[in-house]
Structure formats: C-alpha cells, structure tokens
Amino acid sequence: MNAGALDAWQIPILVTAVIVLVEAGFNLILRFRGARPPSPRVRTVGFGILVVLTVVVFVAALGPTRADQLSSVAAAVAAVVALWLTYRSYNTTVKKPGKPADEPEDQENREHG
C-alpha cells in the first residue's frame, strides 16, 4: 500500500462521502432559504461539479497508464456505436416510408393503369 495513493476499493467510499456531504450542504441551504428549490442554473453547476470531481478522483485512482488504456477502450466502443448508428441511419433513408424494401412494384398496375 503506497502512502498517499488511493486504492480501487476506496473510490466508491470517497465518492459516496462527497455526494452525501454535498447533499447535506444543499439541504442546509434549502432550509435557510425557506425550502425554495434552487434555480436550474445552480442545479446544473452542482451536477457539473460532482461529475468533474468523480472523473478526477477516478482518473487519479487509476493512474495515467490505466486511464490511457481505459480511454482507448472507451474510444473503440464509441467508434463501434457510431458505426452502428450510421448504418441504421443509412438504412432508414434508403428505404421508402410505407413500403417494405423487398416488395417488388406491381407491374400489372403500371401496364394497365
């Protein structure tokens, strides 16, 4: 165990503790303000701070090498999802709405009509 370094099992405990402390702080602020809910901007900023704190603690606990490997895997997964979504989007624009793609047009109606 290194002095000053975080172990993997400590991350959930620290993140949970920070979330509990932030929630307690917000509850005190709400009681002081008369129980009015905070504005959307305050909620968005609070959520952003929690996200940044979680990412920083997570990356610090992993170390630079593991964080780099994890980001490579995440980029590969994002590329596969983007490819699948592009394929689905292409298929929906190629098919005509209201008509199945494998249904042939009725030749008799065009010849007699």
Side-chain angles (χ1 to χ4, degrees):
M1 193 172 200
N2 296 336
L6 288 174
D7 289 332
W9 66 269
Q10 294 171 327
I11 295 172
I13 295 171
L14 291 174
V15 171
T16 304
V18 169
I19 290 172
V20 167
L21 289 174
V22 170
E23 182 182 1
F26 273 112
N27 284 335
L28 286 174
I29 291 170
L30 288 177
R31 277 194 218 135
F32 180 71
R33 291 180 59 198
R36 282 191 348 231
S39 69
R41 182 175 290 160
V42 171
R43 286 183 282 166
T44 303
V45 169
F47 181 70
I49 290 171
L50 284 176
V51 168
V52 168
L53 181 67
T54 303
V55 169
V56 167
V57 169
F58 184 72
V59 170
L62 284 178
T65 305
R66 285 189 189 151
D68 185 40
Q69 292 171 350
L70 184 64
S71 67
S72 298
V73 170
V77 169
V80 169
V81 170
L83 178 66
W84 179 72
L85 290 173
T86 304
Y87 175 74
R88 296 270 310 202
S89 176
Y90 174 76
N91 277 345
T92 57
T93 57
V94 170
K95 293 179 182 177
K96 294 180 182 176
K99 178 180 173 189
D102 55 350
E103 180 181 305
E105 290 189 28
D106 192 8
Q107 292 291 333
E108 291 181 25
N109 286 342
R110 281 201 284 160
E111 290 174 4
H112 298 296

